[in-house]
Amino acid sequence: MDFDTYERDLWDGRADAYQSGFARMTAWSVGPLLDAAAVTSGTRVLDAGTGPGIVSREAVRRGADVIALDADPGMAATARANVPGLDVREAILPDLPLPDASFDAVVGNFVINHVSRPEEAVRQFARVLRPGGKLALTCWEMPPSGALALVSEALEEAGVPVPDDIPTPPFAELGQTGPFGGLLRDAGFADGEAARLRWLHEVDPEDWWTTGALARIGVNGVIVSRQDPPTVDKIKVAYDRLAARYATSGGRIALPANALLATGTR
């Protein structure tokens, strides 16, 4: 399966599950992302890969003028519902049907790792930025660890392999500070650089399992969805044991979130 086809299938019908689970973790980086792009009142912002609109909502709260994009119609509809009046358009990156030099800032919260041609996507972001405009992108640090690795570790412990038809993400080799910053510099952002973001996401372990693995969110969710009930039960036993490493008060777990933030000036 080619990566774009895989991604469209991966997110089709997943907006509600993503919003109730994974998006609550990625919301932590919205503030640093918008700060890095100098988003404030009057800033004209492109929110690329808006998902349920969490970045756009905060940018609007700051007084910015926002256009949001998402490839998935369900995500776009969710963003419109969450941010009344938001201009949300459907587009599959790196295609960017917008005029040159039309934004003061372009931001993308965990979207670049879902793009089949990340180098071209960053070049397109540069194209739509005005001179002096800011780009800020987050991605997960590779290889996956902490919150991103919990279910994959359970799959491995249960002896469930990654199916051959699931493609390797093009971004897999770019998820370190050096390559991520270099991606921006290669696209013309001379000051492009990347830094690590670290936080703990506290969540009920049953909610994390239900809204992630059982809701077919991400690669691990796809793999779990293909298993028969006894195998799913085996994965869950491994998941529960591994999740206990992160136990905190009240039966919850505190999952390490290990991400990167890349910034550059046009």
Side-chain angles (χ1 to χ4, degrees):
M1 187 182 299
D2 73 87
F3 189 71
D4 277 329
T5 300
Y6 166 75
E7 282 286 321
R8 301 291 73 74
D9 178 68
L10 176 65
W11 294 109
D12 184 31
R14 301 293 179 271
D16 288 344
Y18 179 77
Q19 178 173 227
S20 62
F22 220 79
R24 295 181 179 178
M25 180 171 67
T26 59
W28 185 92
S29 59
V30 171
L33 180 80
L34 294 177
D35 289 346
V39 173
T40 186
S41 180
T43 307
R44 184 163 173 78
V45 179
L46 172 64
D47 176 15
T50 190
I54 296 171
V55 173
S56 288
R57 182 169 57 200
E58 173 59 19
V60 168
R61 190 196 67 78
R62 293 185 180 201
D65 179 12
V66 183
I67 291 178
L69 297 179
D70 205 277
D72 181 69
M75 290 289 189
T78 301
R80 292 187 189 99
N82 287 339
V83 191
L86 180 64
D87 183 352
V88 186
R89 307 179 189 185
E90 294 174 26
I92 299 175
L93 296 171
D95 295 334
L96 205 55
L98 294 163
D100 295 354
S102 51
F103 294 94
D104 303 310
V106 174
V107 296
N109 201 32
F110 300 100
V111 64
I112 193 67
N113 42 291
H114 294 287
V115 176
S116 62
R117 290 177 287 152
E119 298 86 356
E120 178 59 25
V122 176
R123 285 193 289 269
Q124 287 295 309
F125 294 154
R127 178 184 63 80
V128 301
L129 277 171
R130 64 166 179 77
K134 301 284 188 180
L135 173 66
L137 302 171
T138 52
C139 76
W140 295 112
E141 189 171 37
M142 295 288 117
S145 59
L148 215 61
L150 179 54
V151 176
S152 64
E153 290 171 352
L155 287 164
E156 183 177 359
E157 185 170 300
V160 179
V162 177
D164 291 338
D165 65 319
I166 292 182
T168 300
F171 206 81
E173 297 182 356
L174 297 172
Q176 292 289 329
T177 53
F180 197 17
L183 178 70
L184 270 63
R185 293 191 296 275
D186 290 346
F189 294 90
D191 63 341
E193 61 180 6
R196 291 181 174 87
L197 294 177
R198 298 286 186 268
W199 70 98
L200 292 175
H201 179 59
E202 189 169 315
V203 65
D204 183 291
E206 291 301 316
D207 286 347
W208 191 248
W209 172 256
T210 301
T211 62
L214 292 190
R216 201 173 172 269
I217 295 296
V219 172
N220 299 323
V222 170
I223 298 172
V224 171
S225 74
R226 296 183 179 184
Q227 310 308 310
D228 59 25
T231 304
V232 173
D233 290 343
K234 187 177 180 181
I235 299 165
K236 181 58 161 56
V237 169
Y239 169 88
D240 288 340
R241 188 189 69 78
L242 293 165
R245 297 173 298 174
Y246 304 111
T248 183
S249 61
R252 295 167 72 81
I253 54 176
L255 297 173
N258 302 318
L260 306 174
L261 170 63
T263 58
T265 306
R266 180 73 172 92

